[in-house]
Amino acid sequence: MTAPDADSNARLDRPVFFSASILLGLLMLLTVAFPQAMDALFASLQAGIVTNASWYYVLVVAAIFVAVVMFAVSGYGSIKLGPDHSQPDYGFVSWFAMLFAAGMGIGLMFFGVAEPVMHFINPPLGAGGDIAAARQAMTLTFFHWGLHAWAVYVIVAMILAYFSYRHGLPLTLRSALYPLIGERIYGVAGTAVDVFAIVGTVFGVATSLGLGVQQINAGLNHLFGLPVGTGVQLVLIAVTTLLATVSVLFGLEKGIKRLSEINIALAVVLAVTLLLAGPTVLLLQTFMENTGLYLSEIVGKTFNLYAYDPTDWLGGWTIFYWGWWISWAPFVGLFIARISRGRTLREFVIGALLAPTLFTFFWMTVFGNSAIDLILNQGGQTLAAAVAENEAVALFRFFEYLPFSSVLSMVAVCMVLIFFVTSADSGAMVLNMLCWRGTDDIPARHRVYWMAVVGGIAMVLLVVGGLAALQTAAIASAFPFSVALLLAIWGFRKALAVDYSKRQAMLAATLAPPVPDAQGAWKDRLASLVRYPTRAEVGQYLVASVRPAFERFRAELEQNGIKSVVLDQRADSDSLRLEVWHGEELDFVYEVFNVGYPLPHEALVGNESGRHAASSQYHRAEVHFTEGGQDYDIMGWSENQILTDLVEQYERHLHFLHVLR
């Protein structure tokens, strides 16, 4: 575990922390004191939303999905979530495992069998229990757990990661509103947004924890005969909270990352085992057909409100899901943003939208179609009755029809537990980041505090019967957040347009010294190409040549009444930075970094090898702009050549500002 530095308390956002804690306490008191009244209030609120605003929820999710696709396939897709020179912090497998565990892992365990069977028994249109109902059941399941669901998470994560890693804003929800309210995100408005995110995250994780222990309880009852009841579930919440607290204390690398990798491996093994043990050919066929039906009907399903054939099914399923995904988006989106630095928008969408969707489709096919086949063709009507009575036992009753059912059930219980631990763990991380200005390097007592809050709320509400009310409240909270999210998407598009325009203006970046100083300078240029400087040599060059050039450029700007400054960015003089201030418009930044790289093959190093006997690296003086590294080296350029490049790059920047006006 990494110890926080000595002044870590200075980073605590006290207005956010105390406001959220007090508001949660008041809401809990109301829910405990008046559980029936609160339940009735939220139920009527949800009914009103379904009756009067279902069209709005459908429109919002459709707009989010279209926006995500457009950002990925357009020229904006090459923009990175971070500086241009940044690289992903995590490999694809670890990244995928963490975002999947935080986003939907536990939901697939709970609904993998239950939802397809419930749609099969009671579809929105037509009679249940036949081939048409089976086809409709899988299409609807794919629709609820497919591209639209992940798009909601992706858009929030994309916006937060972009403004945090590329523009230096705090990694909290308030940063999504920067294009709309500017510096006011650091005031009351920003505090209110982060408090809202904390309350929504606590509600979402607490209700998920409280409702999810019902499935763990059902599994343990199936395996060991453990009684199903509130007392047992309270113990299970306490155990899950304790495990999540331990994981939180270990941090992202040793906690969430490792548990997520373990669970995704178990998920793959379990799904492949069921594929091979069940009707393999049928499952492969239905996987292809389900995917095709989903894609062919995606537009119709997206906008289907059953206006010509009204049904309560829409509010109980689709609108419920859309509200749930939106209400969870601040939590899951912020967590995904935390682990996604360094990827381009296009890579991010492929990894966080398409890959999880395909895995979800495979999972739902293996579990859902296997269960439907048992009911439809193998006399498994008791499974249908069990699911209709209690969806929490669906997975374990399904395993009864398979070989080694006890082993499968034990693996499933372990997976459910780990998924709950990772969800609670990532939730606590997000809560801490919201309270600590976007950092998760915080004192241990604060990590424990939020886990205790989440676990305590889940336990109290389980006792007083307030989980359903809190769940409904979380869904209802999606309405105001969706309005803010649509505005944030609009602002994000504007920011991307500015970024893209600047990239286009800078495409002609100079890679060679712009002006030779004298006749025969080609020899000097060739000598610089076959030379591999040491770190000390590049550092000396920054002091002897780059700084004087920067100072001359700054002095000339001062003569013209333009403010600028030359900064040593690092104590060891490994970076020099020139900033030209443009008031309300974008400043010009030209920075030179001392960057090390592994030496090439000895055939290229030639006579230089003797100078690098003690080191396996050579260094470059690389140019960076505001948006990151530009991949060209100015080591060996004269002051005049550096000044010429400065003028050219400044001219491009001024042209870019002209285009924006």
PDB file of all heavy atoms in Angstrom, residues 339-350:
ATOM      1  N   ILE A 339      -8.913   4.494 -15.438  1.00  0.00           N
ATOM      2  CA  ILE A 339      -8.011   3.443 -15.921  1.00  0.00           C
ATOM      3  C   ILE A 339      -7.765   3.522 -17.425  1.00  0.00           C
ATOM      4  O   ILE A 339      -7.171   2.601 -17.997  1.00  0.00           O
ATOM      5  CB  ILE A 339      -8.577   2.048 -15.575  1.00  0.00           C
ATOM      6  CG1 ILE A 339      -9.927   1.818 -16.252  1.00  0.00           C
ATOM      7  CG2 ILE A 339      -8.693   1.876 -14.065  1.00  0.00           C
ATOM      8  CD1 ILE A 339     -10.495   0.411 -16.041  1.00  0.00           C
ATOM      9  N   SER A 340      -8.181   4.634 -18.081  1.00  0.00           N
ATOM     10  CA  SER A 340      -8.153   4.674 -19.546  1.00  0.00           C
ATOM     11  C   SER A 340      -7.229   5.732 -20.120  1.00  0.00           C
ATOM     12  O   SER A 340      -7.304   6.040 -21.310  1.00  0.00           O
ATOM     13  CB  SER A 340      -9.574   4.899 -20.082  1.00  0.00           C
ATOM     14  OG  SER A 340     -10.423   3.845 -19.700  1.00  0.00           O
ATOM     15  N   ARG A 341      -6.352   6.288 -19.336  1.00  0.00           N
ATOM     16  CA  ARG A 341      -5.441   7.317 -19.841  1.00  0.00           C
ATOM     17  C   ARG A 341      -4.553   6.748 -20.948  1.00  0.00           C
ATOM     18  O   ARG A 341      -4.069   5.620 -20.868  1.00  0.00           O
ATOM     19  CB  ARG A 341      -4.560   7.840 -18.700  1.00  0.00           C
ATOM     20  CG  ARG A 341      -3.615   8.974 -19.101  1.00  0.00           C
ATOM     21  CD  ARG A 341      -2.761   9.411 -17.919  1.00  0.00           C
ATOM     22  NE  ARG A 341      -1.954  10.573 -18.213  1.00  0.00           N
ATOM     23  CZ  ARG A 341      -0.746  10.525 -18.793  1.00  0.00           C
ATOM     24  NH1 ARG A 341      -0.228   9.355 -19.142  1.00  0.00           N
ATOM     25  NH2 ARG A 341      -0.078  11.642 -19.017  1.00  0.00           N
ATOM     26  N   GLY A 342      -4.351   7.543 -21.993  1.00  0.00           N
ATOM     27  CA  GLY A 342      -3.395   7.191 -23.039  1.00  0.00           C
ATOM     28  C   GLY A 342      -3.990   6.525 -24.263  1.00  0.00           C
ATOM     29  O   GLY A 342      -3.272   6.293 -25.239  1.00  0.00           O
ATOM     30  N   ARG A 343      -5.286   6.215 -24.260  1.00  0.00           N
ATOM     31  CA  ARG A 343      -5.906   5.582 -25.430  1.00  0.00           C
ATOM     32  C   ARG A 343      -6.566   6.653 -26.300  1.00  0.00           C
ATOM     33  O   ARG A 343      -7.077   7.645 -25.802  1.00  0.00           O
ATOM     34  CB  ARG A 343      -6.941   4.547 -24.991  1.00  0.00           C
ATOM     35  CG  ARG A 343      -6.335   3.440 -24.140  1.00  0.00           C
ATOM     36  CD  ARG A 343      -7.329   2.336 -23.828  1.00  0.00           C
ATOM     37  NE  ARG A 343      -6.730   1.365 -22.920  1.00  0.00           N
ATOM     38  CZ  ARG A 343      -5.953   0.356 -23.305  1.00  0.00           C
ATOM     39  NH1 ARG A 343      -5.716   0.173 -24.579  1.00  0.00           N
ATOM     40  NH2 ARG A 343      -5.433  -0.476 -22.423  1.00  0.00           N
ATOM     41  N   THR A 344      -6.560   6.416 -27.623  1.00  0.00           N
ATOM     42  CA  THR A 344      -7.289   7.321 -28.500  1.00  0.00           C
ATOM     43  C   THR A 344      -8.785   7.090 -28.323  1.00  0.00           C
ATOM     44  O   THR A 344      -9.217   6.045 -27.816  1.00  0.00           O
ATOM     45  CB  THR A 344      -6.927   7.093 -29.971  1.00  0.00           C
ATOM     46  OG1 THR A 344      -7.370   5.790 -30.379  1.00  0.00           O
ATOM     47  CG2 THR A 344      -5.417   7.202 -30.184  1.00  0.00           C
ATOM     48  N   LEU A 345      -9.589   8.067 -28.748  1.00  0.00           N
ATOM     49  CA  LEU A 345     -11.037   7.901 -28.639  1.00  0.00           C
ATOM     50  C   LEU A 345     -11.496   6.650 -29.382  1.00  0.00           C
ATOM     51  O   LEU A 345     -12.376   5.925 -28.917  1.00  0.00           O
ATOM     52  CB  LEU A 345     -11.756   9.127 -29.210  1.00  0.00           C
ATOM     53  CG  LEU A 345     -11.536  10.469 -28.505  1.00  0.00           C
ATOM     54  CD1 LEU A 345     -12.433  11.532 -29.114  1.00  0.00           C
ATOM     55  CD2 LEU A 345     -11.800  10.366 -27.021  1.00  0.00           C
ATOM     56  N   ARG A 346     -10.897   6.387 -30.543  1.00  0.00           N
ATOM     57  CA  ARG A 346     -11.307   5.223 -31.338  1.00  0.00           C
ATOM     58  C   ARG A 346     -10.949   3.922 -30.616  1.00  0.00           C
ATOM     59  O   ARG A 346     -11.767   3.002 -30.530  1.00  0.00           O
ATOM     60  CB  ARG A 346     -10.648   5.284 -32.714  1.00  0.00           C
ATOM     61  CG  ARG A 346     -11.173   4.245 -33.703  1.00  0.00           C
ATOM     62  CD  ARG A 346     -10.684   4.531 -35.105  1.00  0.00           C
ATOM     63  NE  ARG A 346     -11.209   5.793 -35.609  1.00  0.00           N
ATOM     64  CZ  ARG A 346     -10.463   6.860 -35.893  1.00  0.00           C
ATOM     65  NH1 ARG A 346      -9.152   6.822 -35.712  1.00  0.00           N
ATOM     66  NH2 ARG A 346     -11.019   7.963 -36.348  1.00  0.00           N
ATOM     67  N   GLU A 347      -9.731   3.838 -30.089  1.00  0.00           N
ATOM     68  CA  GLU A 347      -9.334   2.647 -29.325  1.00  0.00           C
ATOM     69  C   GLU A 347     -10.226   2.476 -28.102  1.00  0.00           C
ATOM     70  O   GLU A 347     -10.623   1.353 -27.763  1.00  0.00           O
ATOM     71  CB  GLU A 347      -7.876   2.784 -28.868  1.00  0.00           C
ATOM     72  CG  GLU A 347      -6.855   2.728 -29.972  1.00  0.00           C
ATOM     73  CD  GLU A 347      -5.464   3.097 -29.475  1.00  0.00           C
ATOM     74  OE1 GLU A 347      -5.358   3.666 -28.361  1.00  0.00           O
ATOM     75  OE2 GLU A 347      -4.498   2.826 -30.195  1.00  0.00           O
ATOM     76  N   PHE A 348     -10.537   3.582 -27.461  1.00  0.00           N
ATOM     77  CA  PHE A 348     -11.355   3.532 -26.256  1.00  0.00           C
ATOM     78  C   PHE A 348     -12.742   2.982 -26.562  1.00  0.00           C
ATOM     79  O   PHE A 348     -13.268   2.132 -25.832  1.00  0.00           O
ATOM     80  CB  PHE A 348     -11.456   4.932 -25.656  1.00  0.00           C
ATOM     81  CG  PHE A 348     -12.310   5.017 -24.432  1.00  0.00           C
ATOM     82  CD1 PHE A 348     -11.877   4.493 -23.230  1.00  0.00           C
ATOM     83  CD2 PHE A 348     -13.556   5.616 -24.476  1.00  0.00           C
ATOM     84  CE1 PHE A 348     -12.661   4.564 -22.090  1.00  0.00           C
ATOM     85  CE2 PHE A 348     -14.353   5.699 -23.352  1.00  0.00           C
ATOM     86  CZ  PHE A 348     -13.896   5.169 -22.155  1.00  0.00           C
ATOM     87  N   VAL A 349     -13.361   3.455 -27.638  1.00  0.00           N
ATOM     88  CA  VAL A 349     -14.700   2.988 -27.992  1.00  0.00           C
ATOM     89  C   VAL A 349     -14.681   1.511 -28.373  1.00  0.00           C
ATOM     90  O   VAL A 349     -15.562   0.739 -27.977  1.00  0.00           O
ATOM     91  CB  VAL A 349     -15.285   3.847 -29.127  1.00  0.00           C
ATOM     92  CG1 VAL A 349     -16.568   3.231 -29.665  1.00  0.00           C
ATOM     93  CG2 VAL A 349     -15.557   5.259 -28.631  1.00  0.00           C
ATOM     94  N   ILE A 350     -13.678   1.105 -29.134  1.00  0.00           N
ATOM     95  CA  ILE A 350     -13.582  -0.313 -29.506  1.00  0.00           C
ATOM     96  C   ILE A 350     -13.434  -1.182 -28.263  1.00  0.00           C
ATOM     97  O   ILE A 350     -14.082  -2.224 -28.124  1.00  0.00           O
ATOM     98  CB  ILE A 350     -12.397  -0.538 -30.472  1.00  0.00           C
ATOM     99  CG1 ILE A 350     -12.686   0.123 -31.825  1.00  0.00           C
ATOM    100  CG2 ILE A 350     -12.119  -2.029 -30.658  1.00  0.00           C
ATOM    101  CD1 ILE A 350     -11.511   0.104 -32.781  1.00  0.00           C
TER     102      ILE A 350
END
